[in-house]
Amino acid sequence: MAKFIFNIDGKRREVKLLAQTTIGRQPDSTVPLADPRSSGRHAYLVFDKGAWNLRDLDSSNGTFVNGAQIKTAVLQNGDQVQFGTTIVQFSTDPISEVILDSHVSFEGGAAQPMIHSRVDGRGNEKFLPVEQITSHEQLKQDYEKLRIASELNQAIGLEADIDKLLARILDEVFKLLPADRGVILLMDPITRALKPRATKQRNDETEDIVLSNTVINEVFGSGAAVLTSDAMLDSRFSGAKSVMAMGMRSTMCVPMIYRSQLFGIVHLDSLYARGVFSHKDLQILTGLAAQAGRAIDNAYKAKEIEQAALARRDFERLLPPEIVEQVVSGKVQLQRGGELRDTAVLFSDIRGFTRWTEMHQPAHIVEILNDYFELMVDAIHRHNGTLDKFMGDGIMALFGAPIARGNDTLNAVLCSLDMLDGLAVLNERLRGLGEDEVKIGIGINNGPVIAGYMGSSKSMEYTAIGDHVNISARLCGAALPGQILLSENTRNAIADQIEVKELEPIMVKGKRDPQRIFEVVGKLRRTASIATPEWDETTGVSDTPVPPPDSESP
């Protein structure tokens, strides 16, 4: 077993390699390439005597293995192979993505002129205006199209699950047309490879289905529907091995096209009856395929809306509402893998939390924590912060990522004061119930950090890493209940806008020298400083300076 691994726009794709594999831009290639710098027949890979042998087929731009141009080469696990501008990794590891249905395979061979009848699939669903209808036959044909379209619409409804949708489409097709077997192939939007996604056989037979590449390639390349009325007796089919081997007597193959976009192909055939499909059947199937293309497009869009809703939900948990709108609309990009940003990092956690949990029931602990977190997150969002994560009873918040406001460090300090005010309200309620108070310590540091989406391919989160994040966490750990500790960086950034006092330096893990620390002891000295500057939506950088103070706070 071997495979090529594609990495396209950050998305991994695996393509199973056959014992004889063709690679190139031709759509009937085992590995089709959507690369204008690759050749139609670019390379050939064969498994022989326990080795995978790659041969370049005199391609225009050559074939390269690990950066070296080759004519022939024996591939090893992990080799990088380049065809044109497409780079893939050769792997002998077990494949993790099913490429073809186990009951569907393709017969190879070059395309041949074997078409009995063709119908353009790009506009067949249109109807003539009343004044242009000149015969009852035309009216009957249009009525029949509308009747079938209505029945299919009722059957498939607004099904968003692609596999369920395709199965329903085949069920309806078999009610309308005398097919023995049916296959729906969908096109991968990235690799443009056709993959069987739904199959059906009359009387629930389970024999393997072999599709003719000759027919598939004609539909794929031309976008036209194909009808073969008697494949076994037509001399034009003599070179198509699958037609002869499977005894296909009648075949219809039509594209699923909606708004000029090809979504896939519907393939029907009959093994037993000669001339079972008529030209009218081809027109009906073409109309059904157009509806299927629309249904698939709707299903894709529904999936995108669902994913956007999930993303919005996740963003709303992390970000202030106005930033969520910009992220969802694409005005602000959250970088995957991280970017260097000057950010103020706030850590807070509850003091004596372990002892407190030992004294209360889990349900009570969860109730109090939910109330506490609600107040803290509201404070973070009010001061344009980003909730990074909850860590048990701890909170990590970022100010300046993903959007810089120009006064992010000040916002972080104001947020910490707001958090203590909110906690005082919670504690007043707890005292009235005879409950223990919640006490927290807060640490804030600012500086350049790496912020962005990080994690595994299955679990990603927006976070920040770096030395300045670690210092903030150490300050939080050193803070007493009700205390807000700032680093020297943070004290310098807020200048004299917040009243602070310097404490004895402390040793911080990972630092050789003692670190100067400062405790917040007063409120904002200049009320005008809390004004939030506007920022450029393109750059995410503040372009309006904070106005000068015009009054003193009481």
Side-chain angles (χ1 to χ4, degrees):
M1 182 69 70
K3 60 187 177 183
F4 278 152
I5 301 173
F6 289 75
N7 193 323
I8 305 173
D9 294 334
K11 295 183 179 179
R12 176 188 174 99
R13 289 290 186 272
E14 297 181 359
V15 176
K16 178 182 176 182
L17 301 178
L18 306 180
Q20 296 182 19
T21 296
T22 56
I23 303 134
R25 282 191 294 108
Q26 292 286 354
D28 62 337
S29 299
T30 312
V31 181
L33 302 175
D35 180 354
R37 292 187 63 80
S38 63
S39 299
R41 299 291 182 190
H42 195 106
Y44 180 70
L45 182 65
V46 61
F47 184 71
D48 184 41
K49 297 178 181 179
W52 289 92
N53 299 281
L54 179 66
R55 176 160 57 93
D56 181 78
L57 299 179
D58 297 322
S59 61
S60 301
N61 294 297
T63 300
F64 297 79
V65 176
N66 297 325
Q69 188 168 1
I70 58 97
K71 283 296 182 182
T72 61
V74 177
L75 296 185
Q76 304 295 329
N77 188 32
D79 281 348
Q80 272 200 345
V81 186
Q82 181 173 343
F83 310 103
T85 60
T86 301
I87 299 176
V88 301
Q89 182 182 7
F90 174 77
S91 174
T92 54
D93 296 334
I95 197 160
S96 59
E97 178 182 349
V98 177
I99 299 303
L100 294 178
D101 186 289
S102 59
H103 296 294
V104 182
S105 58
F106 293 89
E107 170 270 325
Q112 303 170 51
M114 42 182 277
I115 305 160
H116 177 78
S117 182
R118 293 202 330 187
V119 173
D120 187 355
R122 288 179 168 80
N124 194 61
E125 72 277 14
K126 295 181 180 179
F127 297 91
L128 293 174
V130 171
E131 62 271 12
Q132 294 182 22
I133 297 177
T134 58
S135 68
H136 290 292
E137 185 62 31
Q138 178 68 53
L139 194 60
K140 289 169 62 178
Q141 288 179 4
D142 284 349
Y143 171 79
E144 183 69 1
K145 292 177 186 177
L146 286 173
R147 183 188 67 81
I148 293 171
S150 175
E151 289 183 3
L152 183 61
N153 276 333
Q154 291 177 8
I156 62 179
L158 297 176
E159 179 62 66
D161 185 297
I162 292 292
D163 293 313
K164 291 181 180 179
L165 172 64
L166 298 182
R168 289 187 180 183
I169 290 172
L170 279 181
D171 287 342
E172 294 305 310
V173 167
F174 268 56
K175 291 178 184 177
L176 295 167
L177 299 171
D180 294 317
R181 307 182 308 176
V183 179
I184 295 181
L185 305 100
L186 287 192
M187 187 177 71
D188 188 293
I190 296 177
T191 66
R192 292 185 61 79
L194 288 170
K195 299 179 183 179
R197 288 287 296 272
T199 62
K200 184 177 178 65
Q201 300 188 53
R202 198 170 293 279
N203 301 322
D204 297 323
E205 296 179 4
T206 58
E207 64 182 20
D208 290 348
I209 300 175
V210 180
L211 304 182
S212 172
N213 264 333
T214 315
V215 176
I216 297 295
N217 288 341
E218 173 63 31
V219 176
F220 185 89
S222 67
V226 171
L227 166 66
T228 61
S229 62
D230 197 341
M232 286 291 293
L233 300 181
D234 195 327
S235 62
R236 291 172 293 180
F237 290 81
S238 60
K241 297 177 183 177
S242 62
V243 171
M244 304 300 294
M246 298 308 298
M248 294 180 189
R249 291 189 175 275
S250 299
T251 300
M252 285 195 298
C253 191
V254 302
M256 294 186 293
I257 296 175
Y258 179 60
R259 292 181 176 174
S260 300
Q261 180 178 353
L262 176 65
F263 289 94
I265 288 174
V266 181
H267 183 282
L268 301 181
D269 63 43
S270 171
L271 302 179
Y272 312 110
R274 180 184 305 175
V276 68
F277 299 131
S278 66
H279 189 76
K280 178 183 177 182
D281 291 333
L282 184 65
Q283 289 184 317
I284 290 174
L285 184 60
T286 301
L288 291 173
Q291 279 186 269
R294 174 182 294 181
I296 292 169
D297 183 56
N298 289 337
Y300 283 160
K301 285 183 169 60
K303 190 67 175 177
E304 290 175 2
I305 292 171
E306 179 186 355
Q307 291 173 343
L310 292 174
R312 178 184 292 274
R313 183 194 66 187
D314 290 341
F315 292 146
E316 286 174 344
R317 183 179 67 85
L318 298 171
L319 305 169
E322 67 272 14
I323 299 182
V324 171
E325 293 302 323
Q326 294 182 69
V327 171
V328 172
S329 67
K331 293 180 180 178
V332 172
Q333 299 294 326
L334 300 184
Q335 295 296 323
R336 181 177 180 179
E339 59 179 340
L340 192 66
R341 299 190 69 90
D342 193 54
T343 304
V345 184
L346 180 152
F347 276 88
S348 74
D349 66 12
I350 297 176
R351 296 296 181 251
F353 181 71
T354 302
R355 184 182 62 83
W356 184 67
T357 58
E358 293 172 351
M359 299 168 58
H360 297 87
Q361 293 298 316
H364 178 70
I365 294 170
V366 170
E367 181 183 358
I368 298 302
L369 279 180
N370 283 340
D371 290 344
Y372 163 72
F373 285 138
E374 190 77 27
L375 290 168
M376 300 301 102
V377 172
D378 284 348
I380 291 168
H381 287 176
R382 272 197 302 273
H383 295 280
N384 301 311
T386 298
L387 174 64
D388 186 300
K389 62 173 68 72
F390 298 121
M391 303 162 293
D393 61 309
I395 296 173
M396 176 179 171
L398 309 175
F399 296 80
I403 292 180
R405 296 283 189 155
N407 57 349
D408 301 300
T409 303
L410 177 60
N411 278 341
V413 178
L414 294 175
C415 175
S416 68
L417 292 166
D418 204 357
M419 291 167 74
L420 292 183
D421 289 342
L423 186 61
V425 174
L426 175 63
N427 282 332
E428 184 177 355
R429 180 166 66 85
L430 292 176
R431 285 194 298 271
L433 298 173
E435 300 282 356
D436 293 333
E437 295 184 4
V438 176
K439 299 178 180 179
I440 66 173
I442 300 174
I444 303 173
N445 179 45
N446 67 289
V449 302
I450 299 296
Y453 269 106
M454 303 176 199
S456 71
S457 59
K458 295 181 180 179
S459 178
M460 303 284 289
E461 66 174 6
Y462 189 84
T463 188
I465 59 174
D467 183 55
H468 290 284
V469 177
N470 297 334
I471 292 175
S472 178
R474 305 300 179 204
L475 292 176
C476 178
L480 298 175
Q483 193 174 47
I484 303 169
L485 295 185
L486 312 179
S487 68
E488 186 175 9
N489 278 351
T490 302
R491 192 286 307 263
N492 293 339
I494 63 173
D496 60 348
Q497 298 175 89
I498 299 289
E499 184 180 354
V500 300
K501 72 175 181 180
E502 185 168 5
L503 304 179
E504 287 294 323
I506 63 171
M507 293 301 300
V508 174
K509 185 178 179 180
K511 295 294 183 180
R512 183 179 59 185
D513 299 323
Q515 301 294 301
R516 296 179 67 190
I517 62 171
F518 299 82
E519 178 185 4
V520 176
V521 296
K523 295 281 187 176
L524 185 68
R525 288 180 172 176
R526 298 185 291 182
T527 57
S529 298
I530 64 173
T532 300
E534 297 181 359
W535 73 98
D536 188 322
E537 292 182 350
T538 303
T539 63
V541 176
S542 170
D543 61 3
T544 303
V546 175
D550 56 5
S551 65
E552 295 290 332
S553 62

